[in-house]
Amino acid sequence: MSRHVISLRDLTDGDLEWIVRRGVEIAAGPADAGASLRGRIVGIYFSRTSTRTRTSFTAGALRLGAQVITYGPGDLQLNTGETAEDTARVLGGMVDGLVIRTAGPPEEMRTFAAHCGAVVNAMSADEHPTQALADLTTLSARFGRVKGLRVLYVGEGNNSAAALALALPRFGGVELELRTPPGYGLAPEVLADATALAEVSGSRVRERHDLASLPGKVDVVYTTRWQTTGSTKADPDWRRRFEPFQVDEAVMARYPGACFMHDLPAHRGEEVTAAVLDGPASIAFEQAQHKLYSAMAVLEWCLAR
Ligand code: CP
């Protein structure tokens, strides 16, 4: 049976809940959660830089008893013109699962999925599904639930924001308010899908392109870096549009008791001030740690027999 995590749209609510619950269980227990992947071989192919995601999937696979082969940006013959299709046919016959980060669209991952038992999207141009899974695991561990949480997302409607919008509202009673710079919002199809998912589960997703009339109460303020890994902005004046969207002490002061989240890496002084990122409300590094537990849950869901 093939099990892939390429887009959160592909997962059922039950799949999402299982992965989050399992991540929380692993977080609460010993770091080596058993040997559920003993005898399995996981390929880790990152054509773009990564600190957290690559390490969490590599360490996670090893902690679960799997063996790992890693490929960096310069390793595969994709660099010399071999097609993704041919690469997928070869690797798929040799490894049990592939964890892949590229700058391409999810369709590229689906080429690999056609030939490999399990493919995990470790970030593509338009969605970062394992980031959202780690975020939900962090929220569930911190609040004891995801249902009913109120989240204010401030910043670019990038691949992390897209994944959050496609996952969070499915837990029911969630209020997700996105404030994105004009021209840098969620892709229309992502907003439409997130809104439809929210309606089904009694949640609400709303996006605006200013910081007026912010919600009165939120449990979490979330941002991401302005320059998403592997992406560029055509407008040389883009910073002017982003500057009002910095999460600073004034934003956090509106929400006493709220947590601050950031998927990292961060640029202090751009999307967030140092006082917020390193301050008492910040759970950004707890969030990064949960990437390990969530990666282990994803690998078990994809690969454990
Ligand atoms: N958040 C995240 O994906 O971090 P890396 O780019 O370091 O993997």
Side-chain angles (χ1 to χ4, degrees), residues 122-165:
M123 196 172 96
S124 57
D126 48 9
E127 195 179 325
H128 194 355
T130 64
Q131 182 62 49
L133 292 168
D135 296 341
L136 297 179
T137 304
T138 310
L139 289 169
S140 185
R142 161 82 34 171
F143 291 94
R145 66 191 161 90
V146 178
K147 194 177 171 73
L149 291 178
R150 299 161 298 185
V151 177
L152 170 63
Y153 178 93
V154 181
E156 190 174 30
N158 59 16
N159 47 19
S160 288
L164 195 65

Side-chain angles (χ1 to χ4, degrees), residues 49-54 101 123 128 131 229 263-265 291:
T49 56
S50 168
T51 297
R52 280 145 289 273
T53 315
R54 181 168 170 172
R101 172 173 289 191
M123 196 172 96
H128 194 355
Q131 182 62 49
T229 304
D263 64 350
L264 303 178
K291 288 194 66 130

